DNA sequence: AACCCGTGGTT
DNA sequence: TAACCAAGGGT
């Protein structure tokens, strides 16, 4: 029964057994009914796990329902037009997630006969499937006893087991995976992993954990020592860079608007936008000249910016855009057929067919309000 | 390892 | 309100 010195968690057999019983009982009685819990279809489980990365359950639910209705099977997604896929993801953020997912789903069709692989090695090789997602899909869809360590699991276990390592360091995840391997139920890995996350989402919350309602209270070393609020340890700061941007709503004589498809890599990859560029300076002249030269360089159009149409702020995880919006018109156009593939003239109604990031959806709103008002 | 990659809710 | 946070992964 005694713990060995090389076991840093001091997890004896009876502790593990109690841990599993308490968690699994609580989960079976308290789990939320969510769309992706209707069945264990590996494709649906996979889609949900990708959507849930850094994204709240309440946000994901409507997206998941729409997405699985548009692309009911893995094959439907594999053969779908990328533009349509991005459109279904519009507003969810981290758009590389869905481009990687479609890449991975194609790989499953080509290399695995359309069946989502059920081994750690194979599934981890798929684009966009990291350590967490691999473990989540394997355990939930296939019942494989693999750890699925996300932010919830690190928070919950750091408190229960009093682990004080800095969870912002990548290596720290390995410590929690080791802990889960010792604790996980081999009878029901799916409920065990989901139970840990559910506990983190409902009871063991970041700011004010509901310890008095917690089924794990008697097993919790953090609660025992009154230090649950100090955990998990998370160091490191995030700085948000500010970028002054100028964007143009440029109209042709027949009422079309100029839009641009962003490059296939980097921020908001493959999403559409209104022509815009970062600028330096303080006054309107700086805004105007920056946008004018940008448009001229990109598509060889000469533009006249007529009036300021608005100002928008948009905050990303690591960046803040301060967007000054100008309305203008095209003076001289290059020959019609010379517009590059990633530039388009579209009517205002047609804008709805293209995937725009939220920052530029705000500009669309301005356009429509101006047309109505 | 450190930085990039979105968005919306909470405190 | 600014900072923090959410079922992370790629490079």
């Amino acid at each position: 029964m005694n713990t060995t010195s090389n076991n840093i968690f001091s997890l004896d057999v009876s502790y593990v057994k109690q841990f599993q019983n308490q968690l699994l009982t609580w989960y079976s009685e308290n789990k939320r009914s969510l769309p992706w819990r209707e069945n264990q279809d590996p494709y649906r489980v996979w889609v949900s796990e990708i959507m849930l990365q850094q994204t709240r359950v309440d946000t994901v639910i409507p997206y998941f329902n729409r997405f699985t209705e548009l692309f009911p099977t893995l094959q439907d997604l594999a053969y779908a037009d990328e533009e349509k896929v991005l459109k279904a993801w519009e507003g969810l953020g981290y758009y590389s997630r869905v481009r990687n997912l479609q890449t991975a789903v194609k790989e499953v069709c080509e290399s695995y006969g359309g069946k989502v692989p059920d081994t750690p090695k194979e599934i981890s090789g798929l684009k966009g499937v990291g350590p967490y997602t691999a473990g989540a899909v394997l355990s939930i869809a296939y019942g494989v006893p693999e750890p699925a360590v996300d932010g919830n699991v690190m928070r919950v276990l750091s408190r229960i087991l009093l682990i004080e390592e800095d969870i912002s360091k990548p290596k720290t995840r390995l410590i929690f995976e080791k802990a889960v391997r010792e604790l996980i139920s081999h009878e029901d890995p799916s409920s065990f992993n989901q139970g840990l996350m559910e506990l983190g989402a409902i009871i063991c919350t970041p700011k004010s954990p509901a310890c008095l309602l917690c089924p794990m209270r008697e097993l919790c070393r953090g609660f025992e020592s009154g230090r649950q609020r100090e955990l998990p340890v998370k160091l490191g700061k995030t700085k948000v860079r500010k970028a002054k941007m100028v964007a143009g709503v440029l109209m042709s004589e027949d009422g079309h608007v100029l839009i641009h498809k962003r490059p296939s890599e980097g921020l908001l990859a493959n999403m559409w936008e209104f022509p815009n560029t970062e600028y330096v300076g303080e006054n309107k002249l700086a805004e105007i000249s920056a946008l004018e030269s940008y448009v001229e360089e990109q598509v060889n159009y000469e533009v006249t910016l007529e009036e300021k149409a608005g100002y928008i702020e948009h905050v990303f995880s690591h960046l803040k855009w301060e967007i000054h919006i100008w309305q203008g018109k095209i003076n001289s156009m290059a020959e019609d057929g010379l517009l590059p593939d990633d530039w388009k003239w579209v009517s205002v109604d047609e804008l709805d067919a293209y995937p725009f990031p939220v920052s530029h959806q705000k500009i669309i709103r301005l356009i429509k309000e101006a047309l109505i008002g």
Side-chain angles (χ1 to χ4, degrees):
Chain A
M1 279 298 267
N2 237 343
T3 56
T4 57
S5 58
N6 60 3
N7 183 344
I8 65 168
F9 304 116
S10 307
L11 306 179
D12 61 37
V13 176
S14 87
Y15 183 88
V16 170
K17 203 70 185 173
Q18 286 183 58
F19 192 108
Q20 293 176 354
N21 285 340
Q22 291 297 110
L23 182 64
L24 292 175
T25 300
W26 176 84
Y27 180 66
S28 70
E29 291 170 356
N30 293 280
K31 65 178 173 188
R32 295 166 289 181
S33 54
L34 299 169
W36 46 90
R37 288 178 176 165
E38 287 174 6
N39 58 49
Q40 296 177 207
D41 177 359
Y43 165 68
R44 289 168 57 92
V45 172
W46 186 5
V47 170
S48 74
E49 292 302 339
I50 300 298
M51 284 189 172
L52 285 163
Q53 289 171 5
Q54 302 291 285
T55 311
R56 296 183 137 71
V57 166
D58 288 344
T59 303
V60 166
I61 290 173
Y63 279 92
F64 179 84
N65 288 332
R66 257 181 279 127
F67 195 90
T68 52
E69 196 166 320
L70 273 172
F71 315 111
T73 71
L74 187 145
Q75 284 75 17
D76 292 320
L77 179 59
Y79 299 127
D81 177 48
E82 192 204 66
E83 192 106 324
K84 189 181 169 192
V85 173
L86 268 178
K87 186 67 187 177
W89 206 269
E90 183 184 68
L92 249 193
Y94 288 136
Y95 300 98
S96 291
R97 289 185 294 177
V98 75
R99 297 191 306 116
N100 290 339
L101 176 61
Q102 195 182 23
T103 300
V105 151
K106 288 176 178 171
E107 173 72 13
V108 169
C109 287
E110 291 170 11
S111 304
Y112 300 102
K115 179 183 179 297
V116 179
D118 59 359
T119 67
K121 191 169 185 177
E122 290 174 324
I123 201 168
S124 298
L126 298 169
K127 206 72 178 286
V129 178
Y132 164 75
T133 305
V137 175
L138 289 174
S139 61
I140 297 171
Y142 293 118
V144 179
E146 281 289 313
V149 175
D150 70 337
N152 283 312
V153 173
M154 289 199 282
R155 182 174 62 257
V156 169
L157 290 185
S158 72
R159 288 169 176 167
I160 297 180
L161 301 178
L162 209 57
I163 297 172
E164 304 184 75
E165 256 72 19
D166 176 9
I167 68 165
S168 66
K169 293 186 185 302
K171 278 181 61 180
T172 303
R173 194 196 72 253
L174 300 176
I175 296 174
F176 289 92
E177 288 181 348
K178 184 173 184 300
V180 171
R181 287 188 192 282
E182 295 188 26
L183 287 166
I184 193 169
S185 161
H186 286 245
E187 284 67 47
D188 194 348
S190 168
S191 295
F192 184 90
N193 281 341
Q194 292 190 77
L196 278 181
M197 294 188 278
E198 197 84 344
L199 192 67
I202 296 176
I203 302 288
C204 196
T205 54
K207 297 294 182 184
S208 47
C211 297
L212 297 184
L213 301 176
C214 183
M216 312 302 285
R217 189 175 60 251
E218 294 183 3
L219 299 166
C220 184
R221 296 172 186 167
F223 180 75
E224 186 182 8
S225 59
R227 288 199 277 158
Q228 68 272 26
R229 286 171 173 277
E230 305 166 17
L231 296 167
V233 174
K234 192 174 185 180
L235 306 176
K237 288 284 170 263
T238 52
K239 270 190 187 169
V240 176
R241 184 178 78 90
K242 292 181 181 177
K244 285 181 277 192
M245 310 289 290
V246 53
V249 178
L250 306 177
M251 307 291 294
S252 66
E253 289 186 358
D254 57 352
H256 286 59
V257 191
L258 187 62
I259 62 174
H260 169 241
K261 185 176 183 174
R262 295 176 62 88
S264 59
E265 292 183 351
L267 182 66
L268 304 170
N270 284 3
M271 301 291 282
W272 289 79
E273 66 183 2
F274 297 93
N276 69 91
T277 185
E278 187 171 354
Y279 73 96
V280 292
E282 291 299 333
N283 48 40
K284 292 183 175 182
L285 187 58
E287 300 169 18
I288 292 173
S289 60
L291 185 57
E292 282 180 347
S293 41
Y294 170 77
V295 175
E296 187 177 338
E297 285 169 20
Q298 294 294 315
V299 289
N300 198 26
Y301 284 166
E302 191 179 306
V303 301
T304 297
L305 301 180
E306 292 167 324
E307 60 173 335
K308 193 86 173 265
Y311 170 73
I312 283 170
E313 293 182 346
H314 190 79
V315 181
F316 300 89
S317 47
H318 59 295
L319 182 67
K320 177 179 180 180
W321 274 355
E322 301 169 338
I323 314 175
H324 297 268
I325 302 158
W326 285 80
Q327 177 209 319
K329 63 182 181 184
I330 298 298
N331 297 337
S332 70
M333 282 197 186
E335 299 296 320
D336 236 11
L338 292 183
L339 202 58
D341 286 344
D342 52 341
W343 290 81
K344 253 179 192 167
W345 285 106
V346 297
S347 70
V348 173
D349 289 336
E350 287 169 329
L351 288 173
D352 293 332
Y354 295 85
F356 284 89
V358 168
S359 49
H360 285 247
Q361 288 175 25
K362 293 175 183 174
I363 299 179
I364 294 178
R365 217 168 298 143
L366 285 181
I367 295 173
K368 294 190 171 177
E369 285 169 6
L371 288 181
I372 295 168

